[in-house]
Amino acid sequence: MTPSPTARRGPRRLIALLGATAAGLAMVACSSGGGAEDPADAGSESDSGGGTSGSAGDVGGTLTVFAAASLQEAFDVLLAAFGEQHPDVEVAPAVYDGSATLATQLEEGAGADVLATANEDTMERITTAGLEASTPEPFATNTLVIAVPTGNPEGIADLPDLNDTTFVICAPAVPCGDATVELFGLTGFAGAPVSQEQNVTAVAERVVNGDVGAGLVYGTDVAARSGELEAVVPTGADDVVNNYPIVELEGAQPAAAPFVEFVLSDEGQAVLSEHGFGAP
């Protein structure tokens, strides 16, 4: 029996359909670069962002930073800028406190990705405990000053003048307190503070609030409150300089190393300089 015209068209339509489908799949593969991309080309594209501090979105996850209280103003700016450059990173509010307090929290199991302290001795506690994932890098310096209210109403010019007013210092266990003890020892000053605070921010706030007539803080703390405080540079201050190190912590999220690099970069150093910190 001779096939009908309809029956003969069936196989032809099937062949045509299969041909069109194959051609369509080939076009899709070409347009997506599927399978034919040179691995070297792929590598060069992913590297175009310039390493760990490269293009936005090259890292993700979260970022939690522990930082000395004196770094708050500068690090708030640095973290905001880092978050803008890496929108896939969830930047948690930084934890600011005395360096010794932060070290104790980490030793007791607190979770963080990056630690920045106000001196090297406190950072040594972290490395001794094996809590670091990289070598600590110095990134800034700071110097003690006497903070007085704007206008310096009591006319304080140097450390001996503190005997004529009430003043506060940081506790010796924290970097600003350790530096204060060293400064007093170098100059032979033996005045008695009315209290010892757990971080430098608390000292500055007591002067701002009028609780005391003066306080020993870092120059950056006065700069951050330029409308409320003035700085008096005491004799011997240049011989007591705090070096600030930063480190990626053990078990840190992927964003930790890029953030450390950002702090050490020209952009990060410019932010720190604008807030009164010296170069490392």
Side-chain angles (χ1 to χ4, degrees):
M1 178 182 296
T2 302
S4 67
T6 302
R8 286 196 300 267
R9 285 197 299 267
R12 290 175 183 173
R13 286 179 176 175
L14 178 60
I15 292 171
L17 179 61
L18 291 174
T21 302
L25 291 173
M27 291 177 65
V28 171
C30 290
S31 64
S32 63
E37 182 178 4
D38 189 332
D41 292 338
S44 62
E45 182 178 345
S46 63
D47 291 341
S48 62
T52 54
S53 58
S55 61
D58 59 352
V59 291
T62 59
L63 175 66
T64 301
V65 174
F66 277 22
S70 55
L71 290 166
Q72 182 165 355
E73 299 286 334
F75 264 46
D76 280 350
V77 174
L78 289 170
L79 286 165
F82 183 80
E84 290 178 359
Q85 294 180 16
H86 301 274
D88 291 336
V89 176
E90 181 182 345
V91 179
V95 176
Y96 299 109
D97 210 327
S99 297
T101 300
L102 297 175
T104 298
Q105 291 175 356
L106 291 171
E107 289 165 345
E108 293 177 349
D113 303 305
V114 173
L115 171 67
T117 62
N119 69 351
E120 295 168 311
D121 288 347
T122 306
M123 183 63 75
E124 189 175 348
R125 287 175 52 182
I126 298 302
T127 58
T128 299
L131 299 177
E132 83 287 2
S134 65
T135 301
E137 296 278 357
F139 69 94
T141 56
N142 217 344
T143 306
L144 286 175
V145 298
I146 303 171
V148 297
T150 301
N152 193 4
E154 299 192 40
I156 294 171
D158 208 340
L159 292 175
D161 296 326
L162 295 178
N163 288 320
D164 300 324
T165 187
T166 55
F167 71 96
V168 293
I169 65 173
C170 293
V174 297
C176 65
D178 182 54
T180 299
V181 170
E182 184 179 354
L183 177 64
F184 286 3
L186 286 174
T187 60
F189 178 67
V194 297
S195 72
Q196 298 179 353
E197 305 297 331
Q198 291 305 307
N199 60 63
V200 71
T201 301
V203 172
E205 289 303 316
R206 290 205 65 184
V207 182
V208 169
N209 294 336
D211 298 335
V212 292
L216 271 293
V217 300
Y218 297 120
T220 52
D221 295 287
V222 174
R225 300 165 178 80
S226 58
E228 301 168 299
L229 296 178
E230 289 183 10
V232 175
V233 180
T235 300
D238 290 343
D239 297 321
V240 183
V241 178
N242 279 44
N243 293 298
Y244 285 55
I246 188 169
V247 73
E248 177 187 352
L249 294 168
E250 184 181 33
Q253 292 287 311
F259 179 71
V260 171
E261 288 189 13
F262 179 63
V263 172
L264 296 169
S265 71
D266 289 344
E267 183 178 351
Q269 290 295 297
V271 171
L272 289 161
S273 177
E274 289 172 0
H275 287 81
F277 288 93

